[in-house]
Each structure stands twice: as C-alpha cells, then as structure tokens.
Amino acid sequence: MTTNLLASELKLPCGALIKNRIGKSAMSENMGTKDYKSNSFLNTLYKRWANGGSGLLITGNIMIDHTALGEPNNVVFEKDSIDTNLKEWAKAGTQNNTHLWAQINHPGKQSPNFLSKEPVSPSAIGYGSPLNKMFNKPRALTEKEIYNIIESFAYAAKVSKDNGFTGVQIHGAHGYLVSQFLSPLHNQRTDQWGGTIENRMRFVSQIYKAIRKEVGNQFPVSIKLNSADFQKGGFTQEESMAVVQHLSEQGMDLIEISGGTYEAQAMTGRPKEIKESTRKREAYFLEYCEDVRKVVKTPLMLTGGFRSLKSMNDALNSGACDMIGLARSIALDPEFPNKLLKGDNNVESKVKPLSTGLKFLDNIIPLEIVWYTEQLKMMSKGENPKPNRSPLKSAVNTILEIGVQSMKKVRA
Ligand SMILES: Cc1cc2nc3c(=O)[nH]c(=O)nc-3n(C[C@H](O)[C@H](O)[C@H](O)COP(=O)(O)O)c2cc1C
C-alpha cells in the first residue's frame, strides 16, 4: 500500500503549517448581503467545510471595490465599510485547525452589464460575441486608478488578517483584472503596464509587494494563476512560467495553478478547451505543473479535474505539486476530504457532466457555476447538497434572476 501523502502536513515559506494537502479551491458563494457584507449563511457553510477535513479553505472571490463587482451578491472588503460578521466567518472557517484564506479580486471588464455600465480594464477593448451581450465595453484605467487598485488589494488583505483569516489569495486567473493585465490580447497599453511580459506582470507584482508590506512576512500570501488563457494571441504557458518564476523570487507562499477565462472555459474542463484524454487522466493542468516544478521550489497547488484518491496521490508522489485543489467535489460532498484522508481508494467524487438537455440553453447559461452555486446555498442553510438536482431548473432560475437584476437600476 502506498502512503497517503494527502494526509501529510505542508510548511509554507512564511512558516505557516497546513495540516494536510487538500485545499478547497475558491467557489464564489454569491450570498453576501445587499450592502456587500458577510453573514450567517457564510458562517454555516464554512463551518461545515472546516469540519469536512480540508487543511485549507479558500473563500470564493471577495471584491475590493463595491463599484466593480463580478456578481450581484459578492462580499466586498474596502475602506469605510464595517462588516461586523467577519470575525464570525473567520472563526467558523478556521475550526478544526483549518486555514481560511480570503481570495481577493477585481473583475475588471468581467463585470456584467447589469452591474457595470462602463467597467474598467487595462485597455478599452470589449469582448467579441457572445460575451459582448453580457459585458459592456470597458474604458482604460488611468495610472492613478491603477495605483489605487493596488492599494485596495493591500487594504483587503489587511482586513482579512485583522479579522482572523489566516491568509490571502490574489485571484490572478480566469480572465479577471489581474489576468487582463497579463494578457497581450486584453492589455495593449504602451506605458509601463503593457507591452513586454515584464511590463504586463508589473500590476500583479506591485499588488503582491503592497500586500506583503501590509501583512508582514509570516502571513501566507498566495496567487491563483492561469497556466494559459487557451486563446489565440492570449497569455501563453511560457509567459505564465515567467510570472511564476518572478513571483516565487518575490516570496509568494503558494501558487495555485488553473487555466482559462470566460471566453475559453478550461478551468472546469469544458470539452472545447480540455481534450477528452486529458480529462480522463484527471488534473487538467498537470503537464504544465510538472514543467513549473522544474523551475521553482514554491509550494504549488494544482486545481481542476481531480476526482480520485489515486490521481491525487500520484500527482503528489511525482512531486509535480504539493497540494491538491478541489472545488466541485467538495460542493457536492463536504465530507469528501475526510473520506479521502482515510485512504480508501474506492471513495468517489460525485461530480458528473451537467446538461439541461437543451443544447441552446447549455450554450448560453454558465451551468457549472449556477448549478453548483445552488448547492452551496443549500449547505449555507444547513441542508445537504443535492447531487441529483435538475440542471434545467437551475438554468430557468438563472434566467429569471438575471431578468430581475437587469430591470433594477444599472450601477455605474
Ligand atoms: C460555482 C463555482 C464558482 C467558482 N468561483 C470561483 C472563484 O470565485 N474564484 C476562483 O478562483 N475560481 C472559482 N471557481 C473555479 C474553481 O475554483 C476550480 O478552479 C474549478 O471548479 C476546477 O476545479 P474542480 O474540477 O475541482 O471543480 C468556481 C467554480 C465553480 C464551480
């Protein structure tokens, strides 16, 4: 019998200890209050997960500015906002010696048109079809605004630390603002923030430095980064590798590897982006992670596609990564980490391909997101997830919800 490496602890460069190698990857809960605060629903959900066995829980993306939201019910950490529940949320998520890290994010132009009339981005480049129906054309950020956003990331990290979260993660993946800066398709600036990869990574590098200055050297700081954007002319694996090397040298504690954007949804293993043979092997970004391992010593968390204990232990055993990131499996079964930690190779993830049965609906609704968000909502009310819930029902609910949101006043 091979050792269950999943159950071994991990020491990060900052000195923090994670009790095992399972990290719950970020899943946007979309359940904050109307004024962007956390609440008892989040406390219930994270208490459940903290008792589920993961060594690390990363929150769903928390925004750093309420005028730039990725979803209507995001929680926001920003100046002049007091969230009296935050300490309770942190307490719930750190039970059972669990790390709880806040994932902090700015959506840039990936802010839906019913939330942002004119979103911001490195350059004033809108999306092509069909995303242009969902997101308005952005305007280019001024330098002053860029510096303000860097400071806002640092402030959000301070809020996290002050309230009992045990680390932070910069969302640098999936086409949000940091990822927009890194992409030559979306960042066509001609100043110090655009052009060469050194210039395009200046934004994330400065965010990291500003956060580190705020939280000190003993507090875990992480980033979720794309292996690539899976788009012609977009952020490539070579460029991603350069960013990984740079951030490692700066002292990043953990780099989580993912991939894709809303335009090319590799992160959830969509067949268009991820080959069937890769999905069968699980771990969509394993090969890239193996390449990264050859050039950096920074702890790596690999996320996307892991379903079986064997694949997880194989990846850890090979040395390709140091932590296994799990999202959807833990949304459907909060006890999944505890089961894996017992070392039973027959434990199965409940994740299955989703379809409404109607091709046109499958194409227009981000089903993976909406169906799983409903599972999180059930857990936040103290109920169990329902793996047999109808995807069609979720799609219809979403259409109704978007209709209501669109009818409400559009925020600037
Ligand atoms: C409902 C849902 C919400 C998500 N929200 C986020 C998020 O806020 N931040 C993030 O980095 N990734 C987010 N993701 C992506 C996951 O963290 C993860 O990368 C992806 O689901 C692949 O991992 P899995 O195969 O274990 O599910 C989300 C995924 C789902 C299904």
Side-chain angles (χ1 to χ4, degrees):
M1 203 184 119
T2 52
T3 331
N4 189 5
L5 269 184
L6 264 191
S8 59
E9 0 176 273
L10 176 70
K11 192 168 183 185
L12 300 177
C14 67
L17 205 63
I18 301 184
K19 68 179 177 179
N20 61 46
R21 306 301 180 102
I22 305 177
K24 184 211 75 84
S25 193
M27 278 180 284
S28 184
E29 305 87 9
N30 205 5
M31 56 179 77
T33 65
K34 268 199 215 105
D35 52 353
Y36 325 112
K37 308 282 175 15
S38 67
N39 54 27
S40 63
F41 295 109
L42 286 159
N43 306 348
T44 304
L45 176 63
Y46 278 79
K47 183 174 170 195
R48 181 99 188 248
W49 274 332
N51 287 305
S54 299
L56 166 64
L57 301 176
I58 300 176
T59 68
N61 59 179
I62 290 168
M63 297 299 160
I64 57 162
D65 174 356
H66 76 275
T67 68
L69 299 178
E71 295 117 2
N73 302 309
N74 286 141
V75 172
V76 179
F77 290 178
E78 64 185 341
K79 284 211 168 108
D80 303 324
S81 159
I82 294 165
D83 185 336
T84 52
N85 178 67
L86 266 192
K87 285 197 164 76
E88 287 304 311
W89 183 11
K91 202 165 129 198
T94 51
Q95 288 185 11
N96 204 17
N97 190 24
T98 310
H99 265 270
L100 176 67
W101 296 359
Q103 186 188 61
I104 49 182
N105 191 19
H106 187 300
K109 63 182 166 186
Q110 225 162 239
S111 177
N113 49 21
F114 59 86
L115 292 174
S116 293
K117 210 184 325 181
E118 192 182 45
V120 291
S121 193
S123 304
I125 301 168
Y127 290 107
S129 180
L131 288 191
N132 56 358
K133 293 185 186 67
M134 222 168 119
F135 303 106
N136 286 338
K137 186 172 175 206
R139 68 174 175 78
L141 284 161
T142 63
E143 258 214 319
K144 188 164 177 252
E145 286 173 321
I146 293 176
Y147 284 117
N148 284 343
I149 292 176
I150 292 168
E151 282 315 308
S152 301
F153 267 99
Y155 184 79
K158 176 179 156 49
V159 171
S160 311
K161 187 178 178 195
D162 289 351
N163 284 282
F165 290 76
T166 58
V168 284
Q169 182 179 69
I170 302 163
H171 195 346
H174 304 169
Y176 292 100
L177 186 61
V178 169
S179 169
Q180 287 159 35
F181 265 93
L182 291 172
S183 159
L185 274 184
H186 298 295
N187 177 358
Q188 297 185 4
R189 297 179 75 97
T190 51
D191 58 8
Q192 60 163 334
W193 308 95
T196 61
I197 183 61
E198 287 73 27
N199 278 357
R200 278 180 275 131
M201 72 166 94
R202 193 180 306 281
F203 182 60
V204 66
S205 177
Q206 300 240 346
I207 289 173
Y208 171 73
K209 283 186 193 138
I211 290 178
R212 190 52 94 194
K213 203 167 144 207
E214 198 64 68
V215 299
N217 289 334
Q218 277 149 28
F219 191 74
V221 180
S222 161
I223 184 164
K224 186 165 184 176
L225 192 70
N226 274 358
S227 59
D229 288 353
F230 292 81
Q231 278 180 285
K232 215 170 161 208
F235 182 57
T236 63
Q237 292 210 358
E238 293 70 38
E239 291 178 335
S240 173
M241 194 81 84
V243 176
V244 166
Q245 275 180 289
H246 173 77
L247 294 175
S248 298
E249 283 159 18
Q250 300 292 310
M252 192 64 85
D253 283 298
L254 181 102
I255 299 178
E256 181 182 357
I257 309 281
S258 184
T261 66
Y262 278 26
E263 293 168 292
Q265 293 168 28
M267 59 281 220
T268 48
R270 198 168 70 165
K272 217 169 127 194
E273 282 78 26
I274 303 291
K275 285 187 291 187
E276 179 62 17
S277 54
T278 306
R279 280 188 292 139
K280 277 214 172 104
R281 280 191 288 114
E282 305 188 11
Y284 316 138
F285 312 108
L286 180 59
E287 280 174 28
Y288 170 76
C289 204
E290 286 166 348
D291 289 345
V292 170
R293 172 72 322 145
K294 289 178 200 147
V295 295
V296 298
K297 290 203 172 72
T298 304
L300 301 174
M301 173 160 134
L302 178 59
T303 300
F306 279 114
R307 303 289 175 257
S308 67
L309 179 61
K310 183 176 179 322
S311 295
M312 297 176 205
N313 270 325
D314 284 351
L316 291 172
N317 263 313
S318 74
C321 61
D322 307 278
M323 287 200 71
I324 303 295
L326 298 174
R328 286 167 292 178
S329 301
I330 304 189
L332 292 184
D333 182 2
E335 281 296 316
F336 191 53
N338 276 335
K339 295 176 188 168
L340 292 167
L341 290 167
K342 283 189 187 138
D344 177 357
N345 269 312
N346 296 321
V347 169
E348 275 183 19
S349 160
K350 294 185 170 40
V351 174
K352 301 262 157 41
L354 291 179
S355 170
T356 59
L358 300 167
K359 211 167 169 197
F360 79 95
L361 259 191
D362 288 354
N363 286 336
I364 58 165
I365 299 283
L367 203 53
E368 294 289 331
I369 301 294
V370 300
W371 189 82
Y372 280 96
T373 308
E374 289 185 345
Q375 303 289 342
L376 305 190
K377 292 218 162 111
M378 286 178 235
M379 275 195 279
S380 77
K381 292 180 199 150
E383 299 163 14
N384 286 322
K386 294 192 177 75
N388 294 327
R389 184 177 168 75
S390 150
L392 181 60
K393 228 183 206 172
S394 303
V396 172
N397 282 349
T398 305
I399 291 168
L400 294 175
E401 171 79 5
I402 291 176
V404 171
Q405 294 290 346
S406 305
M407 278 186 281
K408 286 183 187 164
K409 193 172 169 287
V410 173
R411 281 193 289 271

